[in-house]
Amino acid sequence: MEIENDRVLATLTVGEYKEVIGQVMDKRLKKKEEEHEYGFGLECIEKRYHVTKGTAQTYKNTFLKQAIMQHGRKIRVDLTLADKLYAHRNDVDPDAVLGDGSFK
């Protein structure tokens, strides 16, 4: 169902409102359907990619930045995303990475 952008929200019927909300929720939920595998600590990166602790720290601070969530000393690694980033590690220009891990 397509509702015009200039239509007043108060004029929607309950059925139309449910349909619109359902479409919005379907779009948002589809992005998160993929199962993610998680690991914890630098040891997880060391074992996964067979590197030393220093190299794991470098990976964490550079191209794996998007896959890392750190609160204090606790580090959680999204291994599914990390594998994708690791596969393309040489394709990324280090100067193009922004502070939040996204690219220019």
Side-chain angles (χ1 to χ4, degrees), residues 7-97:
R7 186 164 172 190
V8 178
L9 184 63
T11 63
L12 293 179
T13 65
V14 173
E16 291 172 332
Y17 181 72
K18 285 181 178 180
E19 190 172 329
V20 169
I21 295 297
Q23 290 173 357
V24 170
M25 293 303 291
D26 285 343
K27 288 179 185 177
R28 292 200 178 171
L29 292 176
K30 286 181 184 174
K31 293 180 183 176
K32 303 231 177 196
E33 285 179 2
E34 183 180 326
E35 288 293 322
H36 288 265
E37 179 183 357
Y38 292 97
F40 297 92
L42 282 178
E43 297 82 21
C44 169
I45 297 172
E46 291 173 40
K47 291 177 184 174
R48 186 78 164 203
Y49 303 112
H50 308 288
V51 295
T52 63
K53 187 174 185 175
T55 304
Q57 181 70 36
T58 302
Y59 285 5
K60 178 183 92 65
N61 293 333
T62 55
F63 64 87
L64 291 183
K65 195 175 214 174
Q66 289 177 321
I68 305 293
M69 290 168 271
Q70 183 170 359
H71 298 286
R73 292 174 47 189
K74 307 272 187 196
I75 297 172
R76 187 171 95 169
V77 183
D78 181 346
L79 295 172
T80 307
L81 178 57
D83 288 341
K84 291 177 186 174
L85 294 171
Y86 184 80
H88 298 289
R89 67 190 178 280
N90 295 325
D91 300 340
V92 177
D93 177 17
D95 297 329
V97 179

